[in-house]
Amino acid sequence: MQIPQFLRKGAAIGVVLLLSACQMAPVVLAPPQQSAPPQVQSVSRAEFGAVVARLRPVATQVCRERSPQLDCNFNVILDDRPGQPPNAFHTRDEQGRPIIAFTVALLDELRSADEIALVFGHEAAHHIADHLPRMQNQAMTGAILGGLVATLSGADETTTQRIVNASATVGARRYSKAFELEADRLGAFIAARGGYDPLAGAALFRRIPDPGNQFLGTHPPNAERLREIERAVADMTAGRPI
C-alpha cells in the first residue's frame, strides 16, 4: 500500500522535532542580588577533540559487536555556528552513516573529559540501539492513525494535516523517554570502555535544568537518568551485561 504524501510529511515532522532531543538548556544564572558563582572552567576544543579521537573507535567497536547490520563509521561534527543552543544530537546521512553533532555552546556547559565522553557515548548509543528508525516507525504509525481519524470525521485538508502532524509527533515521542534511558545506560558502557568515568560524567545531570516528568516530554527527570547510569556502573562492576 502506498502511503499518502501528507502522512509521510506528518511522520517526518514528528521525527524532526526529536532530532534535537538531547538539547541541554544553559545553566541558569544566579539572580543579580546574589554574589557571583565561582568561575568554572569549560572544556576546550582540544579536550573535545582528544575525547572524540579516543572514544570514536570504541563506539565503532561496540556498534559492530551489537549492531553489525548498521554503518558504524561515526562522523563527529562540532557545530560552531553562532547562536546555536547547548545541544548534542545523533542523526544519519543519506547513506546511513551515523553523525554525532555537538554545538560549541554545549562545550561551554561541560566541565570535564568524563562529561564529554558520557554525552558522546549517549549519542553513539542512540545509533547502536537503532532509535532513529524506531522513532520514524512510531511517527508513521501515529500519522496513519491520525489521518484515518481525520478522514472518518470528515475533516477538511488543513485540519487533517494538523491532526496528522500532531499524531506523528505523539507517536514519535511515545517511547522517547525509554530510548533516552537506554542510551544513558549504553552510553555509560561506551564511556567506561574508553577509560572514562561515567559517574563523574553524570555530574552534568546535577547541574543542568531538570525537565521534570512532563506529559509526552522527550526526556526523563535528571534523577532518573542519574539512577540509570549508577545502575549501569554497578552492573559493569559486578560483571553483569549492559
Side-chain angles (χ1 to χ4, degrees), residues 146-167:
L148 179 61
V149 169
T151 300
L152 292 176
S153 65
D156 59 34
E157 184 176 349
T158 300
T159 303
T160 296
Q161 186 65 68
R162 289 175 180 168
I163 293 173
V164 167
N165 292 346
S167 300

Side-chain angles (χ1 to χ4, degrees), residues 35-169:
S35 59
Q39 191 70 27
V40 181
Q41 185 67 41
S42 301
V43 299
S44 67
R45 296 194 185 197
E47 287 176 292
F48 171 76
V51 172
V52 170
R54 180 173 167 181
L55 209 53
R56 177 159 43 190
V58 175
T60 296
Q61 185 60 35
V62 173
C63 178
R64 288 172 177 165
E65 291 170 359
R66 296 183 177 230
S67 302
Q69 78 281 7
L70 298 179
D71 186 334
C72 297
N73 185 22
F74 288 94
N75 181 22
V76 184
I77 297 171
L78 182 60
D79 184 354
D80 59 1
R81 292 176 298 165
Q84 296 300 304
N87 194 13
F89 65 89
H90 144 259
T91 187
R92 296 175 183 176
D93 65 17
E94 293 180 354
Q95 287 71 45
R97 183 183 180 186
I99 298 171
I100 297 176
F102 283 67
T103 63
V104 171
L106 178 59
L107 299 192
D108 292 338
E109 302 294 346
L110 301 179
R111 301 290 179 258
S112 70
D114 294 310
E115 292 186 6
I116 300 172
L118 187 65
V119 175
F120 180 96
H122 176 96
E123 299 305 332
H126 275 310
H127 175 69
I128 295 168
D130 218 17
H131 286 162
L132 189 57
R134 289 162 68 185
M135 283 197 297
Q136 289 171 334
N137 289 338
Q138 291 296 325
M140 184 61 69
T141 300
I144 291 172
L145 292 176
L148 179 61
V149 169
T151 300
L152 292 176
S153 65
D156 59 34
E157 184 176 349
T158 300
T159 303
T160 296
Q161 186 65 68
R162 289 175 180 168
I163 293 173
V164 167
N165 292 346
S167 300
T169 301

